[in-house]
Amino acid sequence: MAEVAAVGAAGASPSSPSEEDSVPLVALNYSVRRRLGLFLNPRAPVASDWTALAEELGYDYLEIKHFESKADPTESLLADWQKRCPGGATVGRLLGLLRLLGRRDVLADLGTSIEEDCKKYLRRKQQEEAERPLQVPAVDSSIARSSELQGITTRDDPLGQTVEMFDAFICYCPNDLHFVQEMIQELEQTEHKLKLCVFDRDVLPGTCVWSITSELIETRCRKMVVVISDDYLDSEACDFQTKFALSLSPGARLKRLIPVKCKSMKKEFPSILRFITVCDYTNPCTKKWFWMRLAKSLLLP
């Protein structure tokens, strides 16, 4: 990724072009894809937009008109490209097309982030290879044909080529589901248009709960909202999810975890969250701005 590093932030260590070409598009995380859409979605007469990228990828007029109806045409285009050309939809190919289209502004802004995503993907693949148990040819047929963590949410591609990404994972106990339903209405179905990961709604059954939640919190959700109540304090699942999220962002330096107090409590507020600013739904003085404040917190990078 030498060219990416050259147009990106100074000091980023380049990788070889062969590595760049071997990294599938799925390696790019949600924040990079979202920012890419901010550059390419607007139709501009003086700069190549997502439609020019679609034409370079071989999409015809009717297909492009179909993507035009989507909320995020760039993301829809990339997701379809991954399905259509699983072996050819690589980061290197995308960067080459952006250079061809003259969008060096995109490369300059996202170059370092794209390179970091590629390095993380390659490190993860190397670790998987190192941890894979040795097998003799006689038992090769016992190798699993699909990963445990492929197809874990309702909109995942069953073949594992694309995965569903979210703005926030919602940590809650069943007794607070009514508040979570209100959260869905206020954050997903209004002008905020956030995408929340609600376990009871979005996760498919049949996989280890701890594996699923760890995967969702760490790699698929940018933030986590913790719905605090007396019932939350008695939930083992909520306790695990909260501690796992805190381990990913010690001292809340990355602002990944947002505590939300949804109702008055008789029990003591959880001590591990006392050092993080709470969004208090029970405070009548700030309730008017509650959803706006929460939405802006979730939209932060």
Side-chain angles (χ1 to χ4, degrees):
M1 278 151 276
E3 283 196 58
V4 180
V7 295
S13 58
S15 303
S16 67
S18 60
E19 286 183 342
E20 171 189 306
D21 293 334
S22 69
V23 176
L25 207 62
V26 72
L28 299 183
N29 68 32
Y30 181 69
S31 60
V32 168
R33 289 168 175 265
R34 187 167 188 167
R35 189 149 184 82
L36 190 61
L38 293 178
F39 277 100
L40 299 182
N41 285 339
R43 303 297 296 273
V46 295
S48 298
D49 55 25
W50 68 271
T51 59
L53 178 61
E55 289 177 352
E56 290 294 333
L57 291 173
Y59 286 88
D60 60 30
Y61 172 79
L62 291 178
E63 290 173 319
I64 292 174
K65 293 298 289 183
H66 170 71
F67 292 132
E68 198 172 43
S69 65
K70 303 296 182 181
D72 188 343
T74 301
E75 173 56 26
S76 298
L77 170 64
L78 295 180
D80 190 83
W81 181 33
Q82 289 173 183
K83 293 179 182 178
R84 179 181 293 195
C85 306
T90 67
V91 175
R93 172 72 170 146
L94 175 63
L95 296 178
L97 290 174
L98 290 174
R99 287 191 288 269
L100 178 66
L101 296 171
R103 294 307 302 261
R104 294 188 174 271
D105 56 327
V106 181
L107 299 176
D109 186 87
L110 294 177
T112 301
S113 298
I114 291 174
E115 184 173 11
E116 285 302 313
D117 283 352
C118 291
K119 287 180 177 179
K120 288 178 183 177
Y121 175 86
L122 292 171
R123 284 196 297 267
R124 188 163 61 248
K125 294 298 289 185
Q126 290 172 355
Q127 184 177 357
E128 289 175 358
E129 289 293 331
E131 295 176 351
R132 180 177 296 172
L134 295 176
Q135 295 189 8
V136 297
V139 294
D140 276 351
S141 62
S142 67
I143 298 175
R145 296 295 184 234
S146 62
S147 168
E148 178 192 11
L149 297 179
Q150 288 178 0
I152 62 176
T153 66
T154 56
R155 295 188 180 179
D156 273 355
D157 174 14
L159 299 179
Q161 297 299 328
T162 58
V163 296
E164 191 174 11
M165 306 297 287
F166 301 89
D167 288 301
F169 181 90
I170 311 302
C171 170
Y172 66 97
C173 66
N175 287 344
D176 295 325
L177 184 58
H178 65 285
F179 177 77
V180 175
Q181 291 170 340
E182 183 179 357
M183 185 183 298
I184 291 172
Q185 292 178 347
E186 294 291 340
L187 300 183
E188 286 190 340
Q189 301 170 11
T190 60
E191 71 276 7
H192 302 301
K193 297 190 182 302
L194 288 162
K195 189 171 184 179
L196 309 179
C197 181
V198 180
F199 197 95
D200 293 303
R201 179 191 67 175
D202 299 312
V203 176
L204 296 173
T207 308
C208 173
V209 172
W210 311 119
S211 299
I212 291 177
T213 52
S214 299
E215 169 76 4
L216 290 170
I217 293 169
E218 183 174 11
T219 66
R220 302 218 198 164
C221 301
R222 295 189 308 108
K223 309 270 187 179
M224 185 169 99
V225 174
V226 185
V227 180
I228 308 295
S229 66
D230 287 334
D231 294 308
Y232 160 89
L233 298 172
D234 297 325
S235 169
E236 290 186 5
C238 290
D239 182 64
F240 168 80
Q241 293 166 12
T242 303
K243 290 178 178 176
F244 182 78
L246 285 173
S247 72
L248 299 175
S249 176
R253 287 192 297 271
L254 301 179
K255 299 181 181 178
R256 288 192 60 161
L257 194 148
I258 303 173
V260 170
K261 184 179 178 183
C262 70
K263 61 180 72 169
S264 300
M265 298 176 61
K266 296 179 180 179
K267 300 178 182 178
E268 190 174 356
F269 194 84
S271 58
I272 60 173
L273 297 177
R274 285 180 181 170
F275 61 92
I276 305 178
T277 305
V278 177
C279 206
D280 192 350
Y281 186 73
T282 67
N283 187 346
C285 298
T286 59
K287 193 169 184 177
K288 178 180 178 180
W289 306 288
F290 176 84
W291 295 114
M292 178 270 293
R293 294 174 64 225
L294 181 56
K296 289 193 172 182
S297 296
L298 294 177
L299 287 169
L300 287 174

